[in-house]
Amino acid sequence: MNKDYENGIDILKQMTDVNGEQNIKSLGKIFPDFEEKMIAFGFGQIYSRPNLDLKTREVVTITSLITQGAFEQLDFHIKAALKAGLKSEEILEIILQCAAYIGFPKACSALAIAGEIFQ
Amino acid sequence: MNKDYENGIDILKQMTDVNGEQNIKSLGKIFPDFEEKMIAFGFGQIYSRPNLDLKTREVVTITSLITQGAFEQLDFHIKAALKAGLKSEEILEIILQCAAYIGFPKACSALAIAGEIFQ
Amino acid sequence: MNKDYENGIDILKQMTDVNGEQNIKSLGKIFPDFEEKMIAFGFGQIYSRPNLDLKTREVVTITSLITQGAFEQLDFHIKAALKAGLKSEEILEIILQCAAYIGFPKACSALAIAGEIFQ
Amino acid sequence: MNKDYENGIDILKQMTDVNGEQNIKSLGKIFPDFEEKMIAFGFGQIYSRPNLDLKTREVVTITSLITQGAFEQLDFHIKAALKAGLKSEEILEIILQCAAYIGFPKACSALAIAGEIFQ
Amino acid sequence: MNKDYENGIDILKQMTDVNGEQNIKSLGKIFPDFEEKMIAFGFGQIYSRPNLDLKTREVVTITSLITQGAFEQLDFHIKAALKAGLKSEEILEIILQCAAYIGFPKACSALAIAGEIFQ
Amino acid sequence: MNKDYENGIDILKQMTDVNGEQNIKSLGKIFPDFEEKMIAFGFGQIYSRPNLDLKTREVVTITSLITQGAFEQLDFHIKAALKAGLKSEEILEIILQCAAYIGFPKACSALAIAGEIFQ
């Protein structure tokens, strides 16, 4: 597990900046085991896997967040997507395609969040 | 609109085979305007756009369908994803990543559907 | 409560036929209190209220069922909607509008169910 | 499409006031194609259709927004519903009926938003 | 019904403090019948039932709120859960288990709310 | 990881019978890594934790499955809940309480599944 956690921290550093890393780690102040599992499993065991590059993984994550209406996590992952090499036009395009698959309301909420980041 | 519809039919032919096309068109027997809008808007106006290739669009679609539990449409789009060039390992990887973002239950249901296609 | 239950049964008889009533009541074989609450609260206390007629209430119910993907209850309520005076064109129109608000996948699943009833 | 967009703007002007129209159009500053599609498809092609009047269409929209928890769009559509002729008692009644179909938590959140508008 | 309402108020007083009770009752200023039904049905007829104690009922409620993303009601019920005898470690554990069943994003949002209460 | 997997298999044997275990393991024929992660993380790392006993964990799981409409996994977990010591009356009570928190439609679907098991 320790290795998964270290692995997860490495991936996290690739995905985000110091602020993003601190945000994730701050969950550990509330519940250390939660932060540990999230980093070891989510980042260490899943994001690190082959067959999908980080860029495509962020396509999956952004789409899933918008579809489930988990907008609080969207800022982190839109920034991570840009860092992984997705262009802002591609992220906007994901949001537009989501409109056809989950309807315009959630797509509008996502677009507003993207708009604040892209400014 | 007629042009959007024709455009949509062209995209649809690229995405699926004769059976898949017939399945979509059969909705027109129940409600012609629904089939017309879905093809003209969904396929003609959205899938045809630049900035995301068909392969990446299927990553978006498959992720959104699994996240919302719309499993009846998953068979069509996993087949379309394969036709667009996604490898079965990549589709399985999307399903595994979804487990971290929406939980294992819906990911298990998606995996069972993928399993029947990949056999 | 007894009065709410009787009230609920009266509404239920207005909404559905003998088969529909039996389907609802059959839940009582598994858990009598559940059937009692559902009829007394759902039908007796809510559907019986003023300010929305039965026809508009079925617009609400059908939209909510499609939006949450509760397709197992849709057959009952599309039939109840027809009995309350909604025309099949109006029900199809609700499904098409839902496509813009929740996306095409769930709207397609709803359309297939409506199609079997309207045949 | 241009005609659909113009049609959509006409419907939008019927549904909302200058502020509401500006809110929708402001999405165009982030992503012009998204605003164009939403107005041309959502308002121009769907809301403009026959078989359901604007009042009934707002019953559908409000119910779908509450059911999917898309509360950010609810203020706009409750105001549009009032403008289309729904009485506040009818909107409250929709929210109460939703409690039976999606549970009290989301209905409570919707009620708080309606309360601020009706004051 | 009056008896159900009184019963509901009794349960509510057991579950929460004066502030919590006022919050629930304040819904009555917007729509008295909604507040009445929620207290009479939700608290009076459901929470008062045998076979599950208040502590286990809060496990059900907290899990359902997190799963459906109804975070506005979570503060009330985490406090009610503590009052019913659930320990903070148990509530954190529910949130962690939810991560496996609905994914990390909604679990993170729930954890942030719990963290503010436990401080 | 190997230890997490072994741990997970031990928990799984406690929770289910030979058929249930085979069902979970059969996912490994489609995608071995998915089965491995699900058992090592879900069962090995989460279910094995202290602070909630297996019985309470099944209250969480059943509630989450019903709330998200993941009915395909409900049969497995209702049986696991019975094995962990939940009485059928308690499971029915969870379903009834869910009706107040997510509405009657999904609660009805859950009740039908429970009914087949309890016969």
Side-chain angles (χ1 to χ4, degrees):
Chain A
M1 183 116 60
N2 266 350
K3 231 196 124 195
D4 286 327
Y5 185 81
E6 280 167 39
N7 204 355
I9 291 291
D10 286 348
I11 302 273
L12 197 56
K13 281 183 200 295
Q14 255 179 274
M15 286 170 66
T16 187
D17 58 13
V18 182
N19 285 336
E21 197 188 331
Q22 284 312 318
N23 281 344
I24 298 282
K25 280 188 177 166
S26 71
L27 293 167
K29 287 176 206 156
I30 310 171
F31 188 11
D33 290 10
F34 186 96
E35 181 245 18
E36 189 272 326
K37 297 281 180 226
M38 189 165 87
I39 290 177
F41 178 70
F43 298 106
Q45 288 191 27
I46 303 290
Y47 271 90
S48 66
R49 288 172 56 83
N51 284 329
L52 289 181
D53 59 18
L54 210 49
K55 207 169 134 178
T56 310
R57 288 194 183 276
E58 284 300 345
V59 176
V60 172
T61 300
I62 287 173
T63 303
S64 184
L65 291 177
I66 298 173
T67 302
Q68 69 184 280
F71 297 120
E72 292 179 25
Q73 281 75 32
L74 198 54
D75 177 83
F76 177 92
H77 282 288
I78 288 179
K79 287 174 183 162
L82 291 169
K83 199 155 185 272
L86 272 177
K87 282 175 277 183
S88 60
E89 304 93 86
E90 292 171 305
I91 294 169
L92 291 171
E93 202 61 36
I94 292 168
I95 295 172
L96 178 54
Q97 187 174 334
C98 279
Y101 278 95
I102 54 154
F104 281 94
K106 283 183 190 165
C108 285
S109 294
L111 187 59
I113 292 166
E116 293 201 15
I117 297 169
F118 296 162
Q119 259 177 346
Chain B
M1 186 116 60
N2 266 351
K3 232 198 122 194
D4 286 328
Y5 185 81
E6 280 167 38
N7 204 354
I9 291 290
D10 285 348
I11 303 274
L12 197 56
K13 281 183 201 294
Q14 255 180 273
M15 286 171 67
T16 187
D17 58 12
V18 181
N19 285 336
E21 198 189 331
Q22 285 312 317
N23 281 345
I24 298 282
K25 280 188 177 167
S26 71
L27 293 167
K29 286 177 205 155
I30 309 172
F31 189 10
D33 291 10
F34 187 96
E35 181 246 17
E36 189 273 325
K37 299 280 180 227
M38 189 164 88
I39 289 177
F41 177 70
F43 297 106
Q45 288 190 27
I46 303 292
Y47 272 90
S48 65
R49 288 174 55 83
N51 284 329
L52 288 181
D53 58 18
L54 209 50
K55 207 168 132 179
T56 310
R57 288 194 183 276
E58 285 299 345
V59 175
V60 172
T61 300
I62 286 173
T63 303
S64 184
L65 291 176
I66 297 173
T67 303
Q68 68 184 282
F71 297 120
E72 291 179 24
Q73 280 75 32
L74 198 54
D75 177 84
F76 177 93
H77 281 288
I78 288 179
K79 287 174 183 162
L82 291 169
K83 200 155 183 272
L86 272 178
K87 281 175 276 180
S88 61
E89 304 92 86
E90 292 172 305
I91 294 169
L92 292 171
E93 202 60 36
I94 292 168
I95 295 171
L96 177 54
Q97 187 174 333
C98 280
Y101 278 95
I102 55 154
F104 281 94
K106 284 182 188 165
C108 284
S109 294
L111 187 59
I113 293 166
E116 293 201 15
I117 297 169
F118 295 162
Q119 259 177 347
Chain C
M1 183 116 60
N2 266 349
K3 231 197 124 196
D4 286 327
Y5 185 80
E6 281 167 37
N7 204 355
I9 291 290
D10 285 348
I11 303 272
L12 197 56
K13 281 183 200 295
Q14 256 179 272
M15 286 171 67
T16 187
D17 58 12
V18 181
N19 284 336
E21 198 189 331
Q22 284 313 317
N23 280 345
I24 299 282
K25 280 188 177 165
S26 71
L27 293 168
K29 286 177 206 155
I30 309 172
F31 189 10
D33 290 10
F34 186 96
E35 180 246 17
E36 189 274 326
K37 299 280 179 225
M38 189 165 87
I39 289 177
F41 178 70
F43 297 106
Q45 289 191 25
I46 303 290
Y47 271 91
S48 65
R49 288 175 55 84
N51 285 329
L52 288 181
D53 59 18
L54 209 50
K55 207 167 132 179
T56 310
R57 287 194 184 277
E58 285 298 345
V59 176
V60 172
T61 301
I62 286 173
T63 303
S64 184
L65 291 176
I66 297 173
T67 302
Q68 69 185 279
F71 297 120
E72 290 179 25
Q73 281 74 33
L74 198 54
D75 177 84
F76 177 92
H77 282 288
I78 288 178
K79 287 174 183 162
L82 291 170
K83 201 157 183 272
L86 272 178
K87 281 175 279 183
S88 60
E89 303 92 86
E90 293 172 304
I91 294 169
L92 292 171
E93 202 61 37
I94 292 168
I95 294 171
L96 178 54
Q97 187 174 333
C98 280
Y101 279 95
I102 54 153
F104 280 94
K106 284 182 188 165
C108 285
S109 294
L111 187 59
I113 292 166
E116 291 201 15
I117 297 170
F118 296 163
Q119 259 177 348
Chain D
M1 183 119 58
N2 266 350
K3 232 197 122 195
D4 287 327
Y5 184 81
E6 281 167 38
N7 203 356
I9 291 291
D10 285 349
I11 303 272
L12 196 57
K13 280 183 200 295
Q14 253 179 274
M15 286 172 66
T16 187
D17 58 12
V18 182
N19 284 337
E21 198 188 330
Q22 284 313 317
N23 281 345
I24 299 282
K25 280 188 177 165
S26 71
L27 293 168
K29 286 177 207 156
I30 310 171
F31 189 10
D33 290 9
F34 186 97
E35 181 245 18
E36 190 274 325
K37 298 280 179 227
M38 189 165 88
I39 289 177
F41 178 70
F43 298 106
Q45 289 190 27
I46 304 290
Y47 271 90
S48 65
R49 287 174 55 84
N51 284 329
L52 287 181
D53 59 19
L54 210 50
K55 207 168 133 179
T56 310
R57 287 194 184 275
E58 284 299 345
V59 176
V60 171
T61 300
I62 287 173
T63 303
S64 183
L65 291 177
I66 298 173
T67 303
Q68 68 185 280
F71 297 120
E72 290 178 25
Q73 281 74 32
L74 199 54
D75 178 82
F76 177 92
H77 282 288
I78 288 178
K79 287 174 183 162
L82 291 168
K83 199 154 184 272
L86 272 178
K87 282 175 277 182
S88 60
E89 304 93 86
E90 293 172 305
I91 294 169
L92 291 170
E93 201 62 35
I94 292 168
I95 295 172
L96 178 53
Q97 187 174 335
C98 280
Y101 279 96
I102 55 154
F104 281 94
K106 284 183 189 164
C108 286
S109 295
L111 188 59
I113 292 166
E116 292 202 15
I117 297 169
F118 296 162
Q119 258 178 348
Chain E
M1 184 118 59
N2 266 350
K3 233 197 121 194
D4 286 328
Y5 185 81
E6 280 167 40
N7 204 355
I9 291 290
D10 286 349
I11 303 272
L12 197 56
K13 281 183 201 293
Q14 253 179 274
M15 285 170 67
T16 188
D17 58 13
V18 182
N19 284 336
E21 198 188 331
Q22 284 313 317
N23 280 345
I24 298 282
K25 280 188 177 166
S26 71
L27 293 169
K29 288 177 205 156
I30 309 172
F31 189 11
D33 291 10
F34 186 97
E35 181 246 18
E36 190 273 326
K37 298 281 179 226
M38 190 165 87
I39 290 177
F41 178 70
F43 297 106
Q45 288 190 27
I46 303 290
Y47 272 90
S48 65
R49 288 173 56 84
N51 284 330
L52 289 181
D53 59 18
L54 209 50
K55 205 168 134 179
T56 310
R57 288 194 182 275
E58 285 298 345
V59 176
V60 172
T61 301
I62 286 173
T63 303
S64 184
L65 292 177
I66 298 173
T67 303
Q68 67 184 282
F71 297 120
E72 292 179 24
Q73 281 74 32
L74 198 54
D75 177 84
F76 177 92
H77 282 289
I78 288 178
K79 287 174 183 162
L82 291 169
K83 200 156 184 272
L86 271 178
K87 281 175 278 182
S88 60
E89 303 93 86
E90 291 172 306
I91 294 169
L92 292 171
E93 202 62 35
I94 292 168
I95 295 171
L96 178 53
Q97 187 174 334
C98 279
Y101 278 96
I102 55 154
F104 281 94
K106 284 183 188 164
C108 285
S109 294
L111 187 59
I113 292 166
E116 293 201 16
I117 298 169
F118 296 162
Q119 259 177 345
Chain F
M1 183 116 60
N2 266 349
K3 231 196 125 195
D4 287 327
Y5 185 81
E6 280 167 39
N7 204 356
I9 291 291
D10 286 349
I11 303 273
L12 197 57
K13 281 182 200 295
Q14 254 178 275
M15 287 171 66
T16 187
D17 57 13
V18 182
N19 285 335
E21 197 188 332
Q22 284 313 315
N23 280 345
I24 299 282
K25 280 187 177 168
S26 71
L27 294 167
K29 286 177 206 155
I30 310 172
F31 189 10
D33 291 9
F34 186 96
E35 181 245 18
E36 190 273 325
K37 298 281 180 225
M38 189 165 88
I39 290 177
F41 178 70
F43 298 106
Q45 289 191 26
I46 303 290
Y47 271 91
S48 66
R49 288 174 54 85
N51 284 329
L52 288 181
D53 59 17
L54 209 50
K55 207 169 134 179
T56 310
R57 288 193 182 276
E58 284 299 345
V59 176
V60 172
T61 300
I62 286 172
T63 303
S64 183
L65 291 177
I66 298 173
T67 302
Q68 68 184 281
F71 297 120
E72 291 179 25
Q73 281 74 33
L74 198 54
D75 177 84
F76 177 92
H77 282 288
I78 288 179
K79 287 175 182 162
L82 291 168
K83 200 155 184 271
L86 272 177
K87 281 176 278 182
S88 60
E89 304 93 86
E90 293 172 304
I91 294 169
L92 292 171
E93 203 61 35
I94 293 169
I95 294 172
L96 178 53
Q97 187 174 334
C98 280
Y101 279 96
I102 54 153
F104 280 94
K106 283 183 190 165
C108 285
S109 294
L111 187 58
I113 293 166
E116 292 201 16
I117 298 169
F118 296 162
Q119 259 177 346

